[in-house]
Each structure stands twice: as structure tokens, then as C-alpha cells.
Amino acid sequence: MIRLNQLAGQIQEKKAQIDPMEYLSLYNLLTPEELEVRKAVETFVQKEVAPKINDYVEAAKFPTEIVNAVKPLKLFHHFLDKPYGHGTSYTKQGIILMEAARADAGFATFIAVQNLLLNYTLEKYGNEAQKQKYLTKTRDIEYIGGWGLTERGYGSDASSLTANVKKVQGGYILNGDKRWIGNGNKDILIVWARNLDTNKVEGFIVETKWQGYHAEVIQGKLALRIVQNCQITFTNIFIPDENKLDSVTDFQNGPNQILMHSRVIVPWIALGVMRGVYEHSLKWTTTRKQFGKPLAAFQLQQERLVRILSTFQASFLMVIRLSRLAAEGKATIGMISSVKAWVTDKTREVARLGREMLGGDGIISDNYVIKALTDAEVLYTYEGTYDINSLVAGREITGIGAFK
């Protein structure tokens, strides 16, 4: 009988496996169209985003130059169904975000806010006039915008929001505030506000140039640094009737539906971060030498690399399964919440391992892993915190609500 150590000695050393998608033939789970889109986005991101993005990260500035380079690709058309887009799927959208996050999770989050929140709201709840006026421009990045739900006093308990509108002749008067709103200082904003006459949450399209709109970028943020998260104040803003999203009936048939949609796709950003950590860690440990040999020759480093790789692969299988179920209309809120919670929690673990492997150089932004470590904290928190998503799933599997 051949012992394992003897067998290992007979096997020639192979070139480092850089692509974690190839290791279990994960590419085979994608359709030809998804593969084509993935390759196109990968090529663009590695050429135009990865070499430049960290200058914007260190300055905490919005990457206007990079975003302008996206426009000719018509990339955001892939997030919309016809006639306004190319036709879409959860997986195709997720693949785009995964490839973007390999360079920077903040850049992927910008794409997510513009498409999963803003554009999807306009597509799902906007009328034809609103789509022609706004969606065509946000799709083509002529307008950049945000999605205003969270407030200073209401995060996880978003349905209790206090921003409000009062009906007046020809429109509504908006007052209140929003916090942590990505792209809140750009062109337009979807605002979720409580109608003081009906006490129901309703949706409105607000242009940031209107009188009474004031946005300040939140300072001191150490994660997703290119995303311009804003504190926004509304003071007696007049919203014309034609900017109300009339098909929204309440919180459940409005912002909650948008979040159900986006929460399916956000874990793909976490996959991109995991993949980025794996690639940078593998490259570092196979080229960096200590004690006369590559770091990857040490047992502890190999164990960490395998753990990162396996965690990515397990997460990918979970996320793509959820995306396929969602496309079939079979994904429940508990499934969506549990996958988002688990995958983003594992992303924190992966980022920590990568940071450890790179030692002192692991705190330099160009080496990715320190960005991954801080950005993973936000992925773990936004689109529902780990705890809230776990409780949503727990309610579904037990039939008992443990929070609101």
C-alpha cells in the first residue's frame, strides 16, 4: 500500500491555482451569457479600476474618472429587463458585482446602490413618464442617485421612519432627515416618507437641486471609502404630484420589496471580497520569502489558504443557489436573510485570515486585505445586520418572532 506521504512525493508540484472558480469547476454553473458578461467586466475592472481605485480610497473621494469610463460599456443595462435594459437575472447582476468587488467593495457598492436600489425602484414602481424622465438617465449614468430609507433614529427598525410628507395642492411637502445614504449628494434620491394623512410609508423621486435639500458627506468613515454616504435634511421641499411613486401602497409593498430583491444580490459583493483576499494572499505567499523559502511553503500558511478557498467555494454555491431560487420565485425571506448573514460573516473571517498572512504589508491599501477587513464590516451590517437577518430566518424556521 502506498502511503500518502509517498504518493505526495511522486506528484510534481503544480503552478499555483490563482482562480478559485476553476478549482471546483464553478464556471460550469454559469450560463454562456453570464460567462460572457463576467469576462467583459473582469477585463474592464482589472484594466481601468484596480490600478486607479486606491487613490480614491485613500482620499475618500468619489471615482468620477472611473465611473465615466463605465458609461460606454452600457453596463447598467444588464440590471434591467427590456425595454429599458438588456434583460437581467439575479446571477448576472451578482457576477458583475463580484468582479467589481475583486478590485474594491466600495466601487461594487456604488454599482449596487445605483442599480439594485435606485434603478430597480424606478423600474418596479415608476410609471412610464417617470421611467422616461429618470430611469433612462440613471441607467446611462447621466444621473447618479441614492435611496433614502435609513434615518438617524431608525436603522434596523426602518418601518418606524419619521421623515414625512403632507399633501398640498399640486404635490407634497417633505420634511425630515436620512442618514448613511450612498450617493446622497449627487442628482436624485428615492425618498421613503410617512404620509401624515394616512400614516403609510410612500415613495417619492426627489431632485437634489430642489430648494430645502441639504446633504453633508459623513466624515471619518474608514470603510467603503469611495462611497459618499450622506446625512440629509429635508426642509419644506415641494415634491410635485408627478414625482410620487403611485404604485407603492405601504412599507411592505415598497421599500421592503426592494430590499428583498437587493439582499439576494449583495452576498455576491462578499464573494468578490473573498476572492480578492484569496488572490492577493496566494500571490503574496508564493512570492514573498522568509527563512529561505516562500511563505506558502509553511504549513500554517497553506492551511489558511485552503480555508479561504473552501469558504469562498462554499459561499459561492450557497449564493448561486439562492439566486437561482429567487429567479424561480422560490426564495423565501428567511432563505435570503440566512444566506446574507452567513456569507458576510464568513467574509469577515476570510479578510482576517488574509490580513494575518500578509503581516505588516497587510495594512497597505494596495495589498487589498486591509480594505477587505474594514469593508467586510459594512457588508456584515448593511442590507440588514447579521443579527436582524438571523432573526428573520429564525422566525421563519420556528414560527416564533424574536424581535418586532
Side-chain angles (χ1 to χ4, degrees):
M1 180 179 293
I2 300 177
R3 296 181 180 274
L4 284 177
N5 60 346
Q6 294 175 321
L7 182 62
Q10 297 171 10
I11 299 174
Q12 292 184 349
E13 293 184 4
K14 295 183 179 181
K15 184 180 178 181
Q17 185 69 251
I18 298 296
D19 190 341
M21 293 281 290
E22 291 180 351
Y23 201 63
L24 285 180
S25 300
L26 298 180
Y27 286 125
N28 293 348
L29 300 177
L30 303 178
T31 67
E33 182 190 13
E34 290 163 354
L35 288 169
E36 182 181 356
V37 170
R38 190 211 68 81
K39 186 60 179 178
V41 177
E42 177 187 48
T43 299
F44 172 81
V45 168
Q46 296 306 313
K47 179 181 178 181
E48 301 291 342
V49 182
K52 305 172 184 176
I53 194 67
N54 286 335
D55 290 339
Y56 294 96
V57 170
E58 293 195 18
K61 298 295 184 183
F62 185 75
T64 302
E65 173 194 4
I66 294 174
V67 171
N68 286 339
V70 175
K71 293 180 181 180
L73 301 179
K74 298 189 181 299
L75 183 63
F76 293 0
H77 289 237
H78 290 288
F79 288 85
L80 297 169
D81 283 319
K82 298 177 180 179
Y84 290 95
H86 294 324
T88 191
S89 71
Y90 286 101
T91 303
K92 184 164 71 167
Q93 295 178 57
I95 286 291
I96 293 171
L97 294 176
M98 182 179 75
E99 291 300 329
R102 285 173 66 189
D104 186 71
F107 180 65
T109 297
F110 155 70
I111 296 174
V113 171
Q114 182 87 355
N115 291 284
L116 308 186
L117 299 178
L118 173 62
N119 286 351
Y120 184 64
T121 299
L122 292 171
E123 181 183 41
K124 183 175 179 65
Y125 291 114
N127 58 41
E128 285 306 310
Q130 292 166 342
K131 291 175 183 178
Q132 285 293 330
K133 183 176 182 180
Y134 293 110
L135 183 58
T136 55
K137 290 182 173 62
T138 55
R139 174 200 64 193
D140 295 336
I141 325 182
E142 294 176 29
Y143 285 173
I144 293 173
W147 199 79
L149 178 64
T150 301
E151 298 177 3
R152 186 183 292 274
Y154 297 95
S156 296
D157 188 16
S159 62
S160 298
L161 60 84
T162 59
N164 61 83
V165 291
K166 179 72 176 177
K167 186 72 178 79
V168 296
Q169 185 175 0
Y172 297 81
I173 298 297
L174 169 66
N175 284 282
D177 73 275
K178 297 293 177 182
R179 185 165 176 81
W180 292 114
I181 309 305
N183 305 337
N185 59 346
K186 299 302 181 181
D187 301 302
I188 69 169
L189 185 71
I190 298 295
V191 175
W192 302 101
R194 189 172 305 282
N195 188 315
L196 292 177
D197 297 321
T198 65
N199 201 40
K200 290 186 176 181
V201 173
E202 298 176 342
F204 300 87
I205 306 167
V206 173
E207 298 185 21
T208 61
K209 64 184 179 184
W210 289 348
Q211 185 176 355
Y213 187 102
H214 179 71
E216 292 186 9
V217 176
I218 297 171
Q219 301 297 316
K221 183 164 65 78
L222 299 180
L224 300 184
R225 284 176 58 79
I226 69 150
V227 179
Q228 304 300 289
N229 293 99
C230 295
Q231 172 70 39
I232 304 173
T233 303
F234 311 121
T235 306
N236 294 324
I237 296 179
F238 176 75
I239 305 174
D241 283 329
E242 57 263 30
N243 278 46
K244 183 176 184 292
L245 298 169
D246 287 325
S247 58
V248 172
T249 58
D250 53 28
F251 186 86
Q252 293 302 320
N253 181 35
N256 196 53
Q257 292 300 310
I258 304 302
L259 291 172
M260 281 272 289
H261 170 82
S262 63
R263 204 168 287 162
V264 174
I265 306 170
V266 161
W268 286 93
I269 300 178
L271 290 178
V273 172
M274 288 192 204
R275 181 170 179 175
V277 170
Y278 174 77
E279 290 167 342
H280 283 80
S281 299
L282 182 58
K283 180 180 178 180
W284 179 264
T285 56
T286 53
T287 56
R288 167 81 165 169
K289 291 185 177 181
Q290 290 291 287
F291 305 105
K293 56 185 177 180
L295 291 175
F298 293 93
Q299 293 179 355
L300 285 175
Q301 300 289 46
Q302 290 193 8
E303 188 277 335
R304 286 169 174 151
L305 284 169
V306 171
R307 204 185 329 168
I308 292 171
L309 174 62
S310 300
T311 302
F312 167 80
Q313 292 167 331
S315 299
F316 182 91
L317 293 170
M318 183 178 283
V319 171
I320 197 170
R321 179 58 179 159
L322 177 67
S323 297
R324 301 300 193 206
L325 286 172
E328 297 170 5
K330 297 178 181 178
T332 67
I333 188 172
M335 295 175 190
I336 295 168
S337 296
S338 65
V339 170
K340 194 274 177 181
W342 191 87
V343 172
T344 56
D345 183 45
K346 290 300 179 182
T347 305
R348 298 168 88 204
E349 177 184 331
V350 163
R352 177 181 58 79
L353 290 171
R355 228 299 300 146
E356 290 175 0
M357 294 173 73
L358 268 69
D361 286 281
I363 65 170
I364 298 172
S365 60
D366 282 346
N367 289 330
Y368 190 83
V369 292
I370 190 64
K371 288 198 309 178
L373 191 65
T374 56
D375 292 346
E377 292 301 312
V378 185
L379 296 174
Y380 181 77
T381 303
Y382 74 17
E383 294 283 345
T385 66
Y386 174 87
D387 290 341
I388 290 296
N389 277 310
S390 296
L391 292 176
V392 169
R395 179 180 61 190
E396 188 167 277
I397 64 177
T398 65
I400 304 170
F403 60 114
K404 184 174 180 180

